[in-house]
Amino acid sequence: MTDTSPGTSTEFRVAREDLSRFMQAALAAAGADQASADAVTRALVTASRMGTDSHGLRLLPHYLQALKGGRINGAPNMMFHQRLAATGFLDADDGLGHLAGYTAMEHATAMAEVAGIGAVAVGNSSHFGAAGCYALTAAERGYLGLAFCNSDPFVLLHDGAKPFHGTNPIAFAAPVAGDNSYLLDMATSSVPWNRVQQFGAIGRELPDQVAANAAGQVSRVPSEVAALLPLGGSAFGFKGAGLGGMVEILSSVLSGMQHGFNLLPMGGPDMSTPRGVGHFFLAMKPDAFVEEGTFARGLANYLTDLRAQPATQGSQVMAPGDREWRCQAQRDAEGIPLDSANQLAYAEIAEEYRITPLSQLG
Amino acid sequence: MTDTSPGTSTEFRVAREDLSRFMQAALAAAGADQASADAVTRALVTASRMGTDSHGLRLLPHYLQALKGGRINGAPNMMFHQRLAATGFLDADDGLGHLAGYTAMEHATAMAEVAGIGAVAVGNSSHFGAAGCYALTAAERGYLGLAFCNSDPFVLLHDGAKPFHGTNPIAFAAPVAGDNSYLLDMATSSVPWNRVQQFGAIGRELPDQVAANAAGQVSRVPSEVAALLPLGGSAFGFKGAGLGGMVEILSSVLSGMQHGFNLLPMGGPDMSTPRGVGHFFLAMKPDAFVEEGTFARGLANYLTDLRAQPATQGSQVMAPGDREWRCQAQRDAEGIPLDSANQLAYAEIAEEYRITPLSQLG
């Protein structure tokens, strides 16, 4: 850590402790209370360590802007209403979705400990970063975890001409004895919206069957693209759209929120009106179905068989999460990279909020 | 109903009551008890009415063969072990998966009535037909329903060269006040295995990105195809494979069964050894999260907005299930069609089990 003045080097890497320190200071300066700042920092650092860069450190400026604008309540009074033995509602009081997510999953696992399974619908919330963070926190405590969230419309319905669903993610995690968790975290579109922007910036064509123009026709030209296709493309997108619909129903309909089509855009320009995002979290105790230990043994066998499968030439078969855990080990050792846009954004935050800048790893 | 001697006319249609009568008689003659025969009939007729022909009446000969061979126990003593307030295990005693499915979903909804949510893992079961049947039965009673099942390997892992997962389906249904349910029922591959056979039979190329040859390379030539690709194809199949893995973990690992890669093939030749298929069912009470009635209103609004979306030219936007309910209305009015292969199979069953043949609708 020799350089305390972040420039725009493409090799800029930071230690996760330093990144956490910076995020917590910035969030506090923008009005987040301790619990909120801790939750956002935990979620963003988790995503950045795993290589989920679309949902990692690049989102900090966005959350600071939403706190400053008043859209997000930095000191929420989140209230959990348990309705029955295994279900309840968390009113997130327009606070940060990350705090809502971790809090809701704590309630879900607590109910699962008693009833075998627990589910929490969350309303009056906001963008929560990567859905995988909350499924993962359940798995780290020994539970199966599921997390869902709606978002503003970018994705076409099957045969649709206009975006209707968000990229509505599904995250599923399972605890693996003595190892990192099984972790699936996927949008129900093939690619996220920022992939279109990235391909446009470098002048590349998009993969086939991932996006469409304003008439709903498949397009590979980023500048023409007006919407994403659901997973499955024009032939099998009824599956991706159906999954996106399931996520929507669980996230917004079950929590009494407006569905995603009616959400204010995440990107603004309105940064003062709360959006009313909805989430849904579910936790299950693996030993609440058959004899204790059966699940752990079965999952280990399954993963051993899966990882032993032959791959196509030049490839390797991996379980969901394997790529992420490999990236995490590497970034924990070498630091988390910031591209030039993020270096600039973090330098501006340091200046605006008078925070000691990030230290570049030497 | 003028013709009681089914020939091979391509216009052969039967009334669902007559189809039910025939199925129940055949199943009873092959050794199924009343509850088992009722459950199989209910599931197959439900699928055939909705147009899910891959999981409808064409499966009857298979179940009869499995009963006759002893693989399936026609008079099972299924035992439900409730472990905690909202979770339990149903031992299906090697009986028909359809009876296991309806029985497990009854327990799941009963627990959901008390605890808000209920989940049942099922072991020692067999093929259960269409997963949607069990999600639907929950929705028809006013609950959100989810159903999952594993199956023997036909689908590659992402970057894999050998089939590992089954077509592991996900079914999700939600009750819609005063209307047919919202119903998503999808394999986690793009197409089912019998689609490859159908395309081969008529000499057609497969769609792109749905199947692969023995080296795991994408192929559109049915005669070359050795495996299905997971939903998402070669570029985004990590999503389909991850969903297939989630289904596998919930269906077989949670229930203490062998995972699908180790299952005996559904198609035989061994028709005497029980396969030990696993299922997973989940039910939720919609009003167990927020105020009563909120869910029903929100879902109605969502579906109104969804169905009002503009479509690409020549298409129509539909909610999951809409196509199926339209087909059901048509087939209830006009009868359920049998193609020539099924006409032949049903004529043989009539002869073998001395059952009055199906009556062709006039």
Side-chain angles (χ1 to χ4, degrees):
Chain A
M1 297 192 216
T2 51
D3 185 352
T4 55
S5 158
T8 54
S9 156
T10 55
E11 280 303 299
F12 195 97
R13 290 177 172 271
V14 297
R16 62 187 161 117
E17 298 79 4
D18 191 46
L19 180 60
S20 297
R21 184 265 315 159
F22 186 96
M23 286 180 171
Q24 274 168 320
L27 288 158
D33 61 18
Q34 184 75 45
S36 299
D38 284 353
V40 176
T41 299
R42 181 178 168 194
L44 296 189
V45 172
T46 297
S48 279
R49 286 173 70 201
M50 293 196 299
T52 312
D53 292 328
S54 56
H55 289 72
L57 60 85
R58 86 171 182 93
L59 290 170
L60 179 67
H62 168 76
Y63 298 130
L64 297 176
Q65 211 188 346
L67 282 164
K68 241 171 69 174
R71 171 199 284 182
I72 291 181
N73 176 1
N77 180 21
M78 296 193 182
M79 293 284 289
F80 179 61
H81 307 272
Q82 185 164 348
R83 303 259 303 176
L84 290 167
T87 55
F89 175 71
L90 180 77
D91 184 332
D93 194 24
D94 300 321
L96 283 148
H98 320 70
L99 180 60
Y102 286 119
T103 303
M105 195 52 107
E106 259 178 53
H107 290 292
T109 55
M111 292 189 292
E113 184 56 33
V114 176
I117 185 168
V120 177
V122 179
N124 301 316
S125 190
S126 63
H127 192 263
F128 71 4
C133 294
Y134 314 102
L136 183 60
T137 188
E140 286 171 347
R141 287 183 219 167
Y143 300 87
L144 290 148
L146 284 151
F148 305 91
C149 185
N150 75 343
S151 50
D152 46 318
F154 283 103
V155 185
L156 298 179
L157 292 164
H158 188 58
D159 291 330
K162 195 174 156 188
F164 184 71
H165 286 138
T167 51
N168 296 7
I170 295 174
F172 170 75
V176 181
D179 204 348
N180 284 312
S181 301
Y182 179 100
L183 176 60
L184 172 70
D185 183 3
M186 54 171 270
T188 49
S189 55
S190 292
V191 299
W193 184 253
N194 70 11
R195 192 73 53 85
V196 177
Q197 298 167 316
Q198 285 164 358
F199 274 63
I202 57 173
R204 261 184 74 184
E205 272 207 330
L206 287 162
D208 195 19
Q209 297 293 330
V210 307
N213 65 20
Q217 291 156 334
V218 176
S219 170
R220 303 184 61 178
V221 182
S223 62
E224 265 184 27
V225 165
L228 302 173
L229 289 180
L231 176 65
S234 50
F236 302 102
F238 58 92
K239 301 197 179 200
L243 292 169
M246 176 180 79
V247 172
E248 187 66 53
I249 291 170
L250 294 175
S251 300
S252 65
V253 179
L254 206 56
S255 65
M257 295 292 105
Q258 290 203 72
H259 63 84
F261 185 63
N262 299 320
L263 280 181
L264 288 172
M266 176 185 173
D270 181 350
M271 280 287 170
S272 61
T273 310
R275 295 172 71 222
V277 170
H279 320 300
F280 180 73
F281 301 96
L282 191 150
M284 283 193 286
K285 191 172 170 165
D287 294 330
F289 297 89
V290 290
E291 286 68 35
E292 200 171 326
T294 303
F295 179 84
R297 280 192 303 277
L299 186 55
N301 286 341
Y302 167 71
L303 290 172
T304 300
D305 285 349
L306 186 156
R307 294 190 180 111
Q309 290 307 299
T312 52
Q313 210 172 2
S315 300
Q316 185 192 351
V317 165
M318 288 192 281
D322 286 357
R323 188 184 300 277
E324 285 74 12
W325 302 129
R326 192 180 291 178
C327 180
Q328 178 171 294
Q330 192 188 342
R331 290 188 172 186
D332 283 356
E334 299 172 7
I336 294 167
L338 275 78
D339 65 17
S340 54
N342 282 317
Q343 289 171 48
L344 190 63
Y346 274 65
E348 285 173 1
I349 292 168
E351 186 151 325
E352 179 177 354
Y353 293 101
R354 299 170 183 271
I355 301 165
T356 308
L358 291 171
S359 293
Q360 182 167 3
L361 282 178
Chain B
M1 298 192 213
T2 52
D3 186 353
T4 55
S5 157
T8 53
S9 156
T10 54
E11 279 303 298
F12 196 96
R13 290 177 172 271
V14 297
R16 60 186 161 118
E17 298 78 6
D18 192 45
L19 181 60
S20 296
R21 185 265 314 158
F22 187 97
M23 286 179 172
Q24 274 168 320
L27 289 158
D33 61 18
Q34 185 74 45
S36 298
D38 285 351
V40 176
T41 299
R42 180 178 169 194
L44 296 188
V45 173
T46 297
S48 280
R49 287 172 71 202
M50 294 195 299
T52 312
D53 292 328
S54 57
H55 290 71
L57 60 85
R58 86 170 182 94
L59 289 170
L60 179 67
H62 168 76
Y63 299 130
L64 297 176
Q65 211 188 347
L67 282 163
K68 240 171 72 174
R71 172 200 282 182
I72 291 180
N73 176 1
N77 181 21
M78 296 193 183
M79 293 285 289
F80 179 61
H81 307 272
Q82 185 165 347
R83 304 260 302 177
L84 290 167
T87 56
F89 175 70
L90 180 77
D91 183 333
D93 195 24
D94 300 321
L96 284 148
H98 320 71
L99 180 60
Y102 286 119
T103 304
M105 195 53 108
E106 260 179 54
H107 290 292
T109 54
M111 292 189 293
E113 185 55 35
V114 176
I117 185 169
V120 177
V122 179
N124 300 317
S125 191
S126 63
H127 193 263
F128 71 3
C133 294
Y134 314 102
L136 183 60
T137 188
E140 286 171 348
R141 288 182 219 168
Y143 301 87
L144 290 149
L146 284 151
F148 305 92
C149 185
N150 74 343
S151 51
D152 46 317
F154 283 102
V155 185
L156 299 178
L157 292 163
H158 188 59
D159 291 330
K162 197 175 156 187
F164 184 71
H165 287 137
T167 50
N168 295 6
I170 295 174
F172 170 75
V176 180
D179 203 348
N180 284 312
S181 301
Y182 179 100
L183 176 60
L184 172 70
D185 183 2
M186 56 170 269
T188 48
S189 55
S190 293
V191 299
W193 183 252
N194 70 9
R195 190 76 51 87
V196 177
Q197 297 166 317
Q198 286 165 355
F199 274 63
I202 57 173
R204 261 184 74 185
E205 273 208 328
L206 288 163
D208 195 20
Q209 298 292 331
V210 307
N213 64 19
Q217 290 155 336
V218 176
S219 170
R220 303 183 61 177
V221 182
S223 62
E224 265 183 27
V225 164
L228 302 173
L229 290 179
L231 177 65
S234 50
F236 303 102
F238 59 92
K239 301 195 178 199
L243 291 169
M246 177 180 79
V247 172
E248 187 66 52
I249 291 170
L250 294 175
S251 299
S252 65
V253 179
L254 206 56
S255 64
M257 294 292 104
Q258 290 203 72
H259 64 83
F261 184 62
N262 299 320
L263 280 181
L264 287 172
M266 176 185 172
D270 182 350
M271 279 289 169
S272 62
T273 310
R275 294 172 71 221
V277 171
H279 320 300
F280 180 74
F281 302 95
L282 191 149
M284 284 193 287
K285 192 173 169 162
D287 293 330
F289 297 89
V290 291
E291 286 69 34
E292 202 170 325
T294 303
F295 179 84
R297 281 192 302 278
L299 186 55
N301 287 340
Y302 167 71
L303 290 172
T304 300
D305 286 349
L306 187 156
R307 294 190 180 111
Q309 290 306 300
T312 52
Q313 210 172 1
S315 301
Q316 185 193 350
V317 165
M318 288 191 281
D322 285 357
R323 186 184 300 277
E324 285 74 13
W325 303 129
R326 190 180 293 179
C327 181
Q328 179 171 295
Q330 193 188 341
R331 290 188 172 186
D332 283 356
E334 300 173 6
I336 294 168
L338 275 78
D339 64 17
S340 53
N342 282 317
Q343 289 171 49
L344 191 63
Y346 273 65
E348 286 173 359
I349 292 169
E351 186 150 327
E352 180 176 354
Y353 293 101
R354 299 170 182 273
I355 301 166
T356 309
L358 290 172
S359 293
Q360 184 168 3
L361 283 179

